[in-house]
Amino acid sequence: MGLKAYVATRAILTVPMLVILTTIVFLIVRVLPGDPVLLHFGKQVNPQAVEQVRHILGMDKPIHLQYLDYMAGLLRGNLGIAFSNYQPVSEQIFSAFPATLELTLYSIIVAVLVGVLLGARASSKYASVGDTSIRAFGIVSYAIPVFFLGLILQYLFAIYPNELGHSLLPATGRISAGDAPQGGEFFGVHLQTGLYTVDALLGGSLSQFLDAARHLVLPSLTLGIALSGVFIRITRSNMVDVLGQDFVTAARGRGLKERTVLYSYGLRNALLPILTVLGLQFAALLGGAILTETTFAWGGLGTYLYRSIEGYDYTAIQGAVIFFGLLVALVSLVIDVLYAYLDPRIKY
Amino acid sequence: MRKEGAGGKMVVLGSGMIIVLVTMMVLTTFLAYSGIYYPYNPNLAAVNCAAGKLCAVPPSPKNIMGTNQLGEDIFTHMLYGGSTMIQVAILSVLICLAVGVPLGLFAGYVSGLWDRAASLAMDSLYAFPGLVLAIAIASVLGTGVVNLAISIAVVYIPSYFRVVRSQVLSLKEYPFVEAVKVAGARTPHVLFRQILPNVIPSIAVIGSINVADAVLTEAGLTYLGLGVPLAGVLPDWGWDIYYGKTLFLSGAWWAWFFPGMMIVLLAAGFTLIGEGLGEVWNPKLRR
């Protein structure tokens, strides 16, 4: 099987996965004990009003018709209407998504940088004090709840300096009040990504960019550090493997500098497993993003999901959960294809 | 040239931490429920606070870790606050073992259509962001130790399934399995008496890492307000952080910091055991 056929098969296999995934979520939210409409409105509401809401939401139909409605809606990108304000859930999700994307992108950079650099360093000092302390850091970063790490950093670098009268870093939000970057005009086309750092640059405003970047520091450090443990472990164990191989000994024998051996020979050959882990960690990344966003009042999907939980808004919860699932399925598809391109040894 | 691995030491250190923590929880739960020793009853502490007044007191000789907004002693919370978390975590791992392991054994052994269907379903679940799925289930099932354990278990069952299934795929080709089959053993005997014992090391590794994951997921759910509601005489570290968040701007860091550190210790203990066991049992990593 050639590369194209592999990509096609892999893409087609994603379809049943998505169907199963969306069905599972539908079953969880609609079929498990507990009536979403009643849970949302409490018990004081009069029965007529509840029936009316049921009708508006299409929840007065038999469950299998509701399922077909939902699946048909999904194909058209329609995730239903939110309980709380009768707005389309998909619109709300799309407007919240860029914030989450921006946070996760910068967090991945932090996680990979911290993880790969520390992991490579640990492998070069194998079984020394340095190696042990890096591994200890890895275990603690794995074991620390991401929101707890967030609170610590927030307190240390935003709240506490504020008490002392210095404003070091902002504690919450994506940008200083009322200052959302609007993007810019390029060749008559208005470009706006919803990523504030990018939009600020598109609009040519350095001060807005710096403001957005300052807001990003603590949330992306929090999420990045919490994820770095996995990257430390995978980099370290793969590097230890690679550095023990003959071609590395040969390189050392030719008198190459240790730094060259470590990074050009060792790290380069340990990069593929890191890519795989990156794909596998994407789901964890999104989970962490929910908690990080809640801590830093970051107006993305995590905050949206949190508010929906608080308001018992089941269509919104269902929509957000399915959106997260779709995202992970797509990313793992992309990573698998990328992997196939990058590793010539893979036979399909 | 290579030194002995650190795996053994990690297991010992992790087990030590867990033994201390679990003993502490069992003891304090017993003391609290039997009414023998519970120095700061959360229901009584509130009485000591004037209405509307913030009672969070910084660490002092009287309360070495300070008190929270209700005037409750944080050190007592540290000792008494882990029982819900550990119950949920252990129960969820037991559910995972009861469902994931037999399913993986069976799927790997029989192959064919059943295997493919189960694998597809498990892969779909596995690909899902765990916390998000747990949120969906917990928000519908409602909170409570069992419901929360189920929500968390669903997320982690696929990990057990995958590991067990892939091991069975290679184990079933070994001569000792052939020999037992030729001798006329039934499938359950082959699966549970011959193959299962060989899979146990891998199960132990992912089981202990999973307890850590379950602890963190439970803490995360509590942080989002989906935790087991506080009732009776026991405080809870997760809720301490949840409520501590509201004290954030007043600067009462001790009210959430110390309980949070206990969660880190609990999760780190199980992570150490898992990683250490993995290193001890996996010849590729043992150097």
Side-chain angles (χ1 to χ4, degrees):
Chain A
M1 189 158 48
L3 190 61
K4 274 183 192 157
Y6 170 75
V7 172
T9 322
R10 181 66 185 75
I12 290 169
L13 265 177
T14 308
V15 176
M17 254 177 86
L18 291 181
V19 174
I20 294 178
L21 195 144
T22 43
T23 307
I24 291 173
V25 176
F26 180 88
L27 288 175
I28 289 171
V29 176
R30 299 281 176 87
V31 181
L32 281 184
D35 181 330
V37 179
L38 278 184
L39 277 172
H40 178 67
F41 290 100
K43 292 191 173 70
Q44 285 89 346
V45 166
N46 76 54
Q48 262 183 326
V50 170
E51 277 317 307
Q52 205 179 350
V53 172
R54 253 189 242 285
H55 185 72
I56 295 173
L57 297 168
M59 286 187 174
D60 50 350
K61 297 180 189 170
I63 195 81
H64 62 279
L65 288 183
Q66 284 186 42
Y67 176 70
L68 291 179
D69 273 358
Y70 197 78
M71 293 310 256
L74 269 182
L75 287 178
R76 284 178 275 116
N78 176 1
L79 290 168
I81 300 164
F83 277 30
S84 46
N85 52 8
Y86 302 112
Q87 297 294 309
V89 171
S90 47
E91 274 177 28
Q92 296 174 348
I93 287 179
F94 279 121
S95 71
F97 177 59
T100 303
L101 183 66
E102 188 167 37
L103 171 64
T104 47
L105 281 179
Y106 285 94
S107 304
I108 290 176
I109 296 173
V110 172
V112 171
L113 271 183
V114 172
V116 169
L117 287 180
L118 286 183
R121 215 176 150 67
S123 71
S124 73
K125 315 238 176 237
Y126 189 78
S128 67
V129 178
D131 180 27
T132 311
S133 27
I134 290 175
R135 291 193 78 184
F137 171 82
I139 286 176
V140 172
S141 72
Y142 185 83
I144 195 166
V146 59
F147 54 88
F148 180 56
L149 178 63
L151 288 174
I152 294 176
L153 293 181
Q154 200 179 25
Y155 190 78
L156 280 182
F157 297 106
I159 308 279
Y160 187 64
N162 244 348
E163 281 174 22
L164 300 179
H166 305 283
S167 83
L168 193 61
L169 285 167
T172 56
R174 294 181 66 195
I175 199 128
S176 302
D179 208 18
Q182 298 300 317
E185 300 281 335
F186 283 89
F187 307 109
V189 185
H190 183 72
L191 289 178
Q192 187 172 7
T193 56
L195 310 178
Y196 284 1
T197 45
V198 177
D199 283 346
L201 289 180
L202 286 177
S205 164
L206 189 63
S207 65
Q208 274 188 335
F209 174 78
L210 290 177
D211 188 38
R214 267 164 52 87
H215 281 81
L216 262 167
V217 172
L218 291 179
S220 53
L221 269 184
T222 300
L223 191 49
I225 289 175
L227 282 176
S228 66
V230 182
F231 290 97
I232 293 178
R233 184 171 50 191
I234 194 80
T235 309
R236 177 181 172 279
S237 69
N238 276 293
M239 289 277 287
V240 169
D241 262 357
V242 172
L243 290 178
Q245 285 179 18
D246 292 344
F247 75 95
V248 176
T249 315
R252 285 203 177 110
R254 289 200 299 277
L256 289 177
K257 276 187 208 139
E258 191 55 31
R259 177 188 287 266
T260 316
V261 173
L262 193 61
Y263 292 104
S264 310
Y265 284 71
L267 188 55
R268 229 178 114 173
N269 287 286
L271 277 180
L272 268 181
I274 297 172
L275 181 69
T276 318
V277 170
L278 188 64
L280 287 174
Q281 283 305 303
F282 191 71
L285 179 73
L286 288 179
I290 295 173
L291 297 167
T292 311
E293 284 185 14
T294 316
T295 303
F296 289 97
W298 190 263
L301 275 178
T303 308
Y304 178 71
L305 187 58
Y306 177 64
R307 290 218 186 96
S308 309
I309 295 170
E310 277 192 325
Y312 299 101
D313 189 334
Y314 284 90
T315 33
I317 297 176
Q318 190 178 358
V321 169
I322 283 180
F323 185 77
F324 275 119
L326 292 179
L327 214 58
V328 172
L330 282 181
V331 168
S332 70
L333 174 65
V334 170
I335 295 266
D336 275 5
V337 170
L338 210 59
Y339 196 80
Y341 265 111
L342 289 179
D343 193 347
R345 287 169 305 185
I346 290 188
K347 296 274 182 286
Y348 320 102
Chain B
M1 180 178 126
R2 282 180 169 143
K3 291 183 193 168
E4 195 53 39
K9 285 179 203 155
M10 287 162 75
V11 177
V12 172
L13 180 62
S15 312
M17 286 161 67
I18 296 307
I19 289 172
V20 170
L21 284 171
V22 170
T23 312
M24 195 177 87
M25 285 165 209
V26 172
L27 206 65
T28 52
T29 307
F30 170 73
L31 287 176
Y33 274 106
S34 60
I36 294 174
Y37 184 72
Y38 191 70
Y40 296 89
N41 186 329
N43 302 320
L44 289 181
V47 178
N48 301 326
C49 274
K53 189 178 150 246
L54 200 62
C55 293
V57 179
S60 67
K62 185 167 173 276
N63 305 99
I64 55 169
M65 288 171 185
T67 67
N68 66 6
Q69 75 282 12
L70 298 174
E72 295 167 15
D73 179 53
I74 295 296
F75 184 61
T76 312
H77 276 223
M78 275 183 64
L79 297 178
Y80 283 70
S83 106
T84 310
M85 197 165 277
I86 195 96
Q87 281 175 43
V88 171
I90 302 272
L91 188 58
S92 75
V93 170
L94 290 180
I95 299 174
C96 284
L97 288 174
V99 180
V101 173
L103 220 56
L105 280 175
F106 195 63
Y109 190 69
V110 300
S111 325
L113 189 66
W114 159 254
D115 175 36
R116 253 175 282 163
S119 296
L120 190 63
M122 287 294 162
D123 281 350
S124 317
L125 270 183
Y126 187 77
F128 219 81
L131 182 70
V132 178
L133 191 62
I135 288 173
I137 304 174
S139 66
V140 177
L141 273 186
T143 48
V145 172
V146 178
N147 285 348
L148 223 53
I150 294 174
S151 316
I152 296 169
V154 171
V155 173
Y156 294 113
I157 286 173
S159 320
Y160 292 79
F161 174 86
R162 286 163 66 113
V163 168
V164 172
R165 177 182 167 275
S166 72
Q167 293 233 335
V168 173
L169 281 181
S170 64
L171 277 171
K172 72 177 178 183
E173 307 295 339
Y174 275 73
F176 76 90
V177 177
E178 285 297 319
V180 181
K181 277 202 277 190
V182 171
R186 287 155 179 259
T187 306
H189 175 86
V190 178
L191 277 180
F192 289 99
R193 301 302 293 273
Q194 304 297 329
I195 292 183
L196 183 60
N198 290 290
V199 188
I200 284 178
S202 322
I203 298 176
V205 171
I206 94 165
S208 33
I209 297 216
N210 248 337
V211 185
D213 287 333
V215 165
L216 296 174
T217 311
E218 201 270 351
L221 288 174
T222 307
Y223 186 72
L224 295 173
L226 290 168
V228 179
L230 284 174
V233 289
L234 287 176
D236 181 81
W237 298 329
W239 286 114
D240 281 343
I241 300 182
Y242 179 85
Y243 289 116
K245 210 173 37 164
T246 58
L247 296 175
F248 209 69
L249 292 170
S250 67
W253 55 270
W254 53 89
W256 52 266
F257 179 75
F258 294 116
M261 287 311 286
M262 295 304 283
I263 302 181
V264 177
L265 283 181
L266 185 62
F270 283 112
T271 313
L272 276 170
I273 297 178
E275 286 223 357
L277 283 182
E279 205 164 300
V280 171
W281 279 329
N282 185 346
K284 198 175 160 244
L285 289 172
R286 184 173 48 199
R287 295 177 199 290

